[in-house]
Every structure is written in structure tokens, then in C-alpha cells.
Amino acid sequence: MTATATATATVTVDVTEPAARFRDLLAAEWLKLWSLRSTVWAYVIGTLVVVGFNVGATYDRYRYWTARNAADRADFIADGIAHQYAYTTNAGTVMMLAAGAIGAVAITGEYGTGLIRTTFAAIPARRSVMAAKAGVLTLVMTGYGAVVAALSFWLSQAILARRDAGVSVGDPGSLRLVVASALLAPVCGLAGMAIGVLLRHGGAAIVTVVVVLLVVPLVFADDRHWAAVVDHALPSSAWMRLVDVRYDPGVGIPFPWTVGGAWTVFALWALGAAAVAVFAAPRRDQ
């Protein structure tokens, strides 16, 4: 009887999963964003409040139109004051606060629940993850801002048109007003995300958003050169310069600035905030 020894070879197969494609990261962040009911409600409530401010101010002007004399009504039309009701300063303030808070919560919520650890464990390429987050936030906030700006302009001017005092989007400065008001949302949203990445705490991030976007502009006036430089470098001041259709750098404005400069401030804030969010996250763990 012959014993036959059978050798069993064990083959180890090294299975390596392919790296996640950037479009996959975008899809994941898109699903993550809309999986929360609070996201939808935040955009709905924000839209109603901002549009409500603009429509309410316009209707008040419409209601008391006949209480003004003919000269005042003529000046209202000649000076293009209707543009000021298309997107009021109060509405812009609310938009900056809402967009900044949404951007901050979009990242601090993941830090608070610990989901960010799971995300980075599944996808070690942290910069790609944060770039996808910033990309999705920019897309959504741009669409959100465009809807709010378009609705505000259309409704406010439709009301004023009943007094023959409205303007159209084809009038000088109207399109710039709508575009600048639409882009105010992604600029502030990205700023909020950058602050959220740095602080990683929802409450602290929102307070900082309020200070940076709303309080600091109140501290610096443009009556002195150094203060004017700081003031002009803020997104709120850039937005106000862009929507000021009748801006006249005359005697009353000691340090005037250009439309191109305001657009540059918008671009630098958006790019700078996105860069902070992308490059700071890999250096800051839980």
C-alpha cells in the first residue's frame, strides 16, 4: 500500500479596489447633501425670507406711491431707484447669513456626527473629497442664488410696473444686479465651509460667519484709505458696489472703486475659501 502525499498549493490573490473617480465623489456628496430633510427646508425657508423682504419693501412703495408728489415719483423713475427694490440690502444680509450658515453646517455636521472619519477612511484622498464637497456646494448654492435673485427681480418689478415705475432685465445695470445677487450665495457658502473646516464646530462656525460677513463690514468705513481698502475687500461691500446701478464716484465718495474690482473680490473670496477647505482638511483630524 503506497501512501501518496498530495501537496496543496494556496494561491493568494491580491484584490485592489480601483481608486474612486472624482465624478463618483461628486455623486456621493450630492446624495449626502440631499439625504437630509433639513437641507431642503433650509433652502425653502431662505428663499421665502429673502424674496419676502424684497417683495414686502416693493409693495410698501407701491402702496404709498400716490402719497408722494409728482416730482418725487419722477425722480424715482429717473434715478433708477427701482433697482434698489429688486434686491434690498436687508435681503442681501439675510442671504449672506443663510448661505454662510448652510456652508458651515455642510461640513461641521459631518465632524459633529463623526461621519467625516468614515468618509476619510473609505477615501483616503482627503483633498479630492473636500474638492467634491466644495464643487457640489458651489453648484447648489449658485442655482439657489439664481432662483432667489430671478424671483426677487421679477416680482418686485412686476409690482412697480403697475405704477409704470419698474425696470426690465434689459435696462442698464439690471443683469449685473441679478448676476451679482445670484453669486452672493456661493461666495458666502464657500466662506462658511472654509470657516467650518477650520473650526469644526457648528455653533462656533456660524458665529464666526456672522462676524466675518456681517459685523466686520460695519467696523470699516470708506472715509479713510486704509479702511476703504479693507472695506472694499469684503464680499458684502463688493456686492453692494455691483448692485449700485447709479454709483457716482463724485465728491461724496473719497475712495471710489470699479465694477471690475468688485468682481475680483467675489472671485478671490470664492477661490480662497475653496482652497482653504481643500488644503486645510488633510491637516486637521478629529
Side-chain angles (χ1 to χ4, degrees):
M1 194 172 176
T2 304
T4 303
T6 303
T8 303
T10 302
V11 179
T12 302
V13 179
D14 185 13
V15 179
T16 303
E17 294 185 2
R21 297 169 297 183
F22 189 70
R23 64 181 183 183
D24 297 329
L25 298 181
L26 289 173
E29 294 301 326
W30 178 269
L31 292 175
K32 191 185 299 183
L33 177 67
W34 295 110
S35 63
L36 300 175
R37 291 183 179 180
S38 59
T39 300
V40 178
W41 281 110
Y43 288 117
V44 171
I45 294 174
T47 300
L48 293 176
V49 172
V50 174
V51 175
F53 266 106
N54 294 322
V55 172
T58 306
Y59 181 76
D60 184 72
R61 188 62 184 248
Y62 164 83
R63 182 180 179 185
Y64 294 101
W65 180 261
T66 56
R68 298 179 177 273
N69 57 46
D72 289 339
R73 296 196 295 267
D75 290 340
F76 181 92
I77 298 173
D79 294 339
I81 300 177
H83 285 104
Q84 299 177 12
Y85 290 86
Y87 213 103
T88 64
T89 303
N90 288 336
T93 300
V94 173
M95 173 57 76
M96 286 187 284
L97 176 59
I102 290 173
V105 173
I107 185 64
T108 58
E110 289 198 49
Y111 278 110
T113 60
L115 180 60
I116 196 71
R117 290 196 297 265
T118 304
T119 300
F120 287 156
I123 307 172
R126 298 187 178 188
R127 290 178 179 172
S128 297
V129 173
M130 296 307 299
K133 288 181 182 293
V136 170
L137 180 69
T138 301
L139 177 64
V140 174
M141 294 302 288
T142 300
Y144 167 59
V147 169
V148 173
L151 275 175
S152 296
F153 186 89
W154 176 64
L155 290 174
S156 63
Q157 300 314 305
I159 294 172
L160 291 175
R162 300 181 65 181
R163 300 293 191 186
D164 295 324
V167 295
S168 69
V169 72
D171 289 343
S174 295
L175 184 59
R176 188 182 75 201
L177 183 151
V178 173
V179 173
S181 298
L183 294 180
L184 183 65
V187 170
C188 294
L190 287 171
M193 172 174 277
I195 292 172
V197 169
L198 294 175
L199 299 182
R200 298 175 299 163
H201 185 277
I206 292 176
V207 170
T208 305
V209 164
V210 174
V211 171
V212 172
L213 297 180
L214 302 181
V215 176
V216 172
L218 300 177
V219 177
F220 297 95
D222 56 0
D223 55 345
R224 296 180 181 177
H225 183 265
W226 68 270
V229 171
V230 177
D231 181 60
H232 293 173
L234 300 173
S236 59
S237 299
W239 172 74
M240 293 182 68
R241 172 65 182 90
L242 292 170
V243 301
D244 189 357
V245 177
R246 298 289 176 171
Y247 181 82
D248 182 15
V251 179
I253 303 178
F255 303 104
W257 62 320
T258 64
V259 171
W263 284 124
T264 302
V265 170
F266 258 31
L268 290 178
W269 268 84
L271 294 174
V276 169
V278 170
F279 290 99
R283 301 176 180 274
R284 298 183 64 82
D285 295 318
Q286 283 288 90

